[in-house]
């Protein structure tokens, strides 16, 4: 997996910085709420606008990249992120930050969806190794993002935004100088990702990822507010907590997921690990009055999320024979929409019920739905599980045996 072309490492680095933007605001959510006099629900919209725009825009990124090429799409996405991250750091109100995070999400969509397809297409060693590398970049980005957010946020809540703008500018230079593509763009139809969702295998994975990502962002976006009344609210402490979470996620995405998928079919891994993550959220809801318990459960949750992110992405990319860009746009679009729904809904549920436990129980519910979708749709995941390949190989062995 490590023996990759320089261009692949350039994309992986840029992807790491891009994913830092997701967890970057986590440690500074309480600080932003205090500085701008915003409620937790309003502050959670920093995730929602970012992810909602990212999700919807991803449906069209394959159409864009298939016309102007992957390299130009990546560079445009990075440039947009640099501009809007800097503008977010210059904001005076929470609504300005929310708006600029939406623009940030547009750049993120152009970059992330194209980056996944580009890494899979350019990496050595096959799609599985490429996806592991991509998810490793995701894990490292999610780990480093909260830490950088905590360190810079300890000085000012504006610091993480300006820091991201600088790092994305570095990533822009890396892609511009290291990525050279000779392939001519092959235009795809604007409706291709939507038509792709009509393919049963991809549709099952997209719906499962929709509900799974809601459970993912319940932990990522709401946990800081659950820790706040327990005395854990400063940016640096939250940065360390979510660094542990992201580090655990990165480790299992690289080592845990391949270990399990070598022994079990991908759909089986998902049906086992999603319920285990649901147990983590269930315990978080039960033990929501203990800061120590919540911190431990956040980190443990990262272990399961690393496995799930990698296996879900592998399944979505292998479930059909659609072009990588189309499959990535369709799957990623639906997945990010799920992430956009969860943060404000979690905060609203906590406000309505008057307890920080409710959002975690809601997370359990959506994870149960995700598990049921995969369970009842597993017949459409034969290609993702490698069953079709196994049958082809068996057929070849029978023919060879007959000839001998």
């Amino acid at each position: 997996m490590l023996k990759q072309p320089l261009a692949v490492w350039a994309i992986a680095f840029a992807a790491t910085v891009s994913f830092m933007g997701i967890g970057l605001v986590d440690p500074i959510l309480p600080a932003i709420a205090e500085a701008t006099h915003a409620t937790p629900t309003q502050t959670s919209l920093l995730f929602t606008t970012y992810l909602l725009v990212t999700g919807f825009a991803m449906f069209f990124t394959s159409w864009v990249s298939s016309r102007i090429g992957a390299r130009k799409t990546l560079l445009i996405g990075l440039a947009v992120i640099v501009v809007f991250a800097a503008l977010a750091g210059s904001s005076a109100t929470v609504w300005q930050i929310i708006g600029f995070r939406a623009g940030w999400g547009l750049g993120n969509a152009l970059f992330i969806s194209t980056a996944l397809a580009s890494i899979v297409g350019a990496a050595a060693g096959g799609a599985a190794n490429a996806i592991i590398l991509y998810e490793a970049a995701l894990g490292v980005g999610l780990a480093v993002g909260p830490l950088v957010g905590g360190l810079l946020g300890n000085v000012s809540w504006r610091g993480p935004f300006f820091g991201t703008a600088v790092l994305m500018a570095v990533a822009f230079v890396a892609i511009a100088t290291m990525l050279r593509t000779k392939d001519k763009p092959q235009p795809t139809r604007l409706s291709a990702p939507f038509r792709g969702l009509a393919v049963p295998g991809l549709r099952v994975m997209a719906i499962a990822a929709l509900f799974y990502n809601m459970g993912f962002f319940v932990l990522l976006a709401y946990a800081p507010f659950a820790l706040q009344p327990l005395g854990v609210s400063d940016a640096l402490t939250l940065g360390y907590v979510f660094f542990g979470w992201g580090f655990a996620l990165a480790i299992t995405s690289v080592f845990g997921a391949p270990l399990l998928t070598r022994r079990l079919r991908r759909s089986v891994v998902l049906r086992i690990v999603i319920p285990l993550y649901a147990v983590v959220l269930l315990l978080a809801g039960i033990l929501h009055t203990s800061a120590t318990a919540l911190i431990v459960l956040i980190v443990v949750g990262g272990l399961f999320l690393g496995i799930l992110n990698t296996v879900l992405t592998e399944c979505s990319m292998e479930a059909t024979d659609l072009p990588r860009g189309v499959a990535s746009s369709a799957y990623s679009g639906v997945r990010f929409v799920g992430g956009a729904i969860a943060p404000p809904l979690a905060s609203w549920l906590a406000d309505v019920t008057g307890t920080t436990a409710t959002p975690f129980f809601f997370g359990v519910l959506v994870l149960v739905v995700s598990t049921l979708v995969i369970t009842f749709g597993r017949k459409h995941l034969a290609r993702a599980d490698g069953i079709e390949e196994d049958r082809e190989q068996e057929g070849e062995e029978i023919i060879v045996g007959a000839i001998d």
Side-chain angles (χ1 to χ4, degrees), residues 95-236:
W95 293 110
Q96 288 178 350
I97 306 172
I98 289 169
F100 291 135
R101 282 281 284 181
W104 188 339
L106 175 61
N108 206 47
L110 289 168
F111 176 80
I112 287 181
S113 182
T114 309
L116 175 56
S118 297
I119 284 183
V120 171
N129 281 339
I131 290 170
I132 292 171
L133 184 62
Y134 176 83
E135 292 297 336
L138 183 152
V140 172
L142 289 177
V144 177
L147 185 59
V148 172
L151 291 170
L152 296 178
N154 202 41
V155 178
S156 168
W157 64 264
R158 301 177 187 275
F161 296 115
F162 291 128
T164 298
V166 172
L167 288 172
M168 276 303 190
V170 174
F172 181 95
V173 174
I175 294 292
T177 56
M178 297 180 189
L179 181 61
R180 293 286 183 268
T181 56
K182 296 181 180 179
D183 296 337
K184 293 183 178 179
Q186 297 179 345
T188 61
R189 297 173 64 178
L190 188 62
S191 61
F194 301 100
R195 294 165 65 90
L197 290 173
V199 179
L202 186 59
R203 183 173 65 247
V204 168
M205 291 312 307
I207 295 173
L210 172 75
F211 289 100
Y212 159 75
N213 234 32
M214 293 173 73
F216 181 101
F217 277 95
V218 162
L219 188 66
L220 180 62
Y222 182 73
F225 291 111
L227 287 169
Q228 189 174 13
L230 304 177
V232 183
S233 59
D234 67 284
L236 191 57

Side-chain angles (χ1 to χ4, degrees), residues 320-367:
T320 71
D321 57 358
L322 291 170
R324 301 290 187 187
V326 172
S328 177
S329 291
Y331 165 76
S332 298
V334 175
R335 178 180 176 179
F336 272 84
V337 168
I341 295 170
L345 183 56
S347 296
W348 178 78
L349 287 171
D351 290 340
V352 169
T353 60
T355 173
T356 57
T358 310
F360 295 114
F361 294 140
F362 165 73
V364 174
L365 177 63
V366 294
L367 291 171

